[in-house]
Amino acid sequence: MRKGLIIIMVAALFMLGGCGEGGLPEEAYNLEVAEGEIKGSLMLPEGEGPFKVAIIHQGSGPTDRDGNSAIAGDNNSLKMVAEDLAQAGIASLRFDKRGIAKSMSLIESEEDLVFEDYVNDMVMWIEKVEQDERFSQIYLIGHSEGALISAAAAAQKEVAGFVSLAGVGERASDTLRRQLSGQPEEITAMTDPIITELEQGRLVENVPDALQSLFRDSIQPYLISWFKYDPTEVYGEISSPIMVIQGDNDVQVTVNDAMILSQAAGTKPVLISGMNHILKDAPRDMEGNLETYSDPDLELHPDLMPEIIQFIND
């Protein structure tokens, strides 16, 4: 596995940090929590409501409300999703999760964050939007790790529907093992025992320097909490309609993940030919695929939004 891909696929999973802002004027829409405010953006369509509204949750690591990452680059994927929804008469809410971009101050120390914090935040966002008379029905759109977070929230709070974009079908620990499997044997010999200990809920001391970006002390509480979640169990607990969407040129999540999730959800996956992990039309070759991660002007794959809009409007 190439070094550049490891940086995007693995290191990005477990790093916190600031990201850039989107450029379009939008209504500030924030969520009050004990530590302060989670900063969000509300995009409303033209006309009078009440509108259907989608709450969009980004993927893992330092990814902001627009889908841009301090590691992988700016691609504006989720901002484009919001814009296309607005053009179709659907409102949307995006936000910087705690510890990221405008919400960075909510996390004083990385070790204070666990996976359930993100799930609880999503539940609170749903409850906030429920009280807003401008909206009629609430949909959740979760991308990558955000798919599991949104699914866990949908299992607690009934919504009108849930769209899983590039969601992983296995536990995060197994996904990490798979992504590391292409590394030299001496690397996996070090990583496998650490992952196993974290799966058992035990902190690991004396992590080798070469593995600090993945398993440093401060990130281990988050990994322990995340590794507990089996996506198939979570998706199976959701009573709302579910759409599972996956691109076949995704170098991070596979079509098999979508098959696993759709089976758990009791639905058929929507497979989009040529779409990669950041929802763009991308070549199969690795170099060309990864170049799209830092192209904020490249449009979404043309087959994506018609599927989502039809699901929401049905």
Side-chain angles (χ1 to χ4, degrees):
M1 188 177 293
R2 297 176 56 179
K3 181 179 178 182
L5 183 57
I6 280 291
I7 291 175
I8 291 174
M9 292 174 63
V10 180
L13 290 176
F14 309 126
M15 296 183 69
L16 299 178
C19 299
E21 304 175 33
L24 291 180
E26 296 167 302
E27 177 182 331
Y29 200 77
N30 304 327
L31 177 68
E32 293 186 8
V33 294
E35 300 83 0
E37 282 187 330
I38 298 176
K39 304 296 186 178
S41 297
L42 185 64
M43 187 174 290
L44 296 172
E46 294 183 356
E48 296 185 5
F51 303 106
K52 294 180 178 180
V53 59
I55 305 176
I56 302 171
H57 201 296
Q58 69 273 65
S60 60
T63 305
D64 70 7
R65 71 186 83 180
D66 292 337
N68 299 331
S69 168
I71 293 176
D74 290 354
N75 57 72
N76 283 339
S77 56
L78 300 185
K79 181 180 180 182
M80 293 177 182
V81 169
E83 292 169 343
D84 284 0
L85 289 174
Q87 292 175 1
I90 301 166
S92 65
L93 165 66
R94 316 187 313 283
F95 58 91
D96 293 329
K97 57 189 178 181
R98 59 176 65 220
I100 301 300
K102 292 291 187 179
S103 303
M104 183 184 298
S105 63
L106 299 184
I107 300 294
E108 292 186 5
S109 173
E110 189 176 55
E111 63 188 358
D112 295 334
L113 181 69
V114 293
F115 187 82
E116 287 80 10
D117 290 328
Y118 288 147
V119 177
N120 293 337
D121 289 343
M122 194 62 163
V123 169
M124 287 190 289
W125 276 116
I126 296 170
E127 293 173 343
K128 176 181 175 69
V129 174
E130 282 177 334
Q131 302 303 313
D132 195 322
E133 295 181 354
R134 292 176 292 178
F135 308 121
S136 56
Q137 293 178 309
I138 299 173
Y139 291 79
L140 306 184
I141 299 177
H143 178 249
S144 193
E145 185 197 22
L148 180 57
I149 293 167
S150 299
Q156 297 182 40
K157 292 282 296 185
E158 186 172 356
V159 292
F162 162 51
V163 178
S164 172
L165 290 177
V168 175
E170 56 191 358
R171 293 180 189 270
S173 53
D174 291 328
T175 298
L176 183 55
R177 286 193 181 95
R178 173 172 57 82
Q179 292 180 345
L180 289 167
S181 63
Q183 293 297 294
E185 185 176 345
E186 58 266 27
I187 298 295
T188 57
M190 290 189 293
T191 58
D192 283 351
I194 294 174
I195 294 172
T196 298
E197 285 294 295
L198 295 173
E199 284 178 317
Q200 299 300 316
R202 295 188 288 265
L203 296 173
V204 179
E205 298 180 354
N206 302 317
V207 172
D209 290 343
L211 301 178
Q212 283 294 315
S213 64
L214 294 180
F215 303 115
R216 59 192 178 277
D217 292 349
S218 60
I219 200 67
Q220 290 187 29
Y222 186 85
L223 297 182
I224 289 172
S225 66
W226 189 16
F227 288 176
K228 293 187 299 185
Y229 285 79
D230 183 341
T232 62
E233 294 178 358
V234 177
Y235 279 55
E237 294 172 354
I238 299 172
S239 59
S240 307
I242 300 175
M243 169 177 273
V244 176
I245 302 180
Q246 178 62 43
D248 67 359
N249 275 0
D250 189 331
V251 296
Q252 297 179 239
V253 180
T254 69
V255 168
N256 187 57
D257 285 298
M259 302 300 292
I260 292 171
L261 292 177
S262 59
Q263 183 176 6
T267 187
K268 293 183 178 180
V270 176
L271 304 179
I272 298 183
S273 178
M275 189 173 79
N276 71 353
H277 191 68
I278 60 158
L279 315 178
K280 307 295 182 75
D281 192 2
R284 288 189 181 275
D285 72 277
M286 191 66 67
E287 183 176 354
N289 196 301
L290 296 182
E291 284 179 355
T292 68
Y293 282 59
S294 55
D295 186 350
D297 297 319
L298 181 64
E299 297 296 326
L300 296 173
H301 192 290
D303 295 341
L304 173 64
M305 292 310 299
E307 295 284 355
I308 295 176
I309 290 167
Q310 181 177 346
F311 176 74
I312 292 176
N313 283 334
D314 280 351

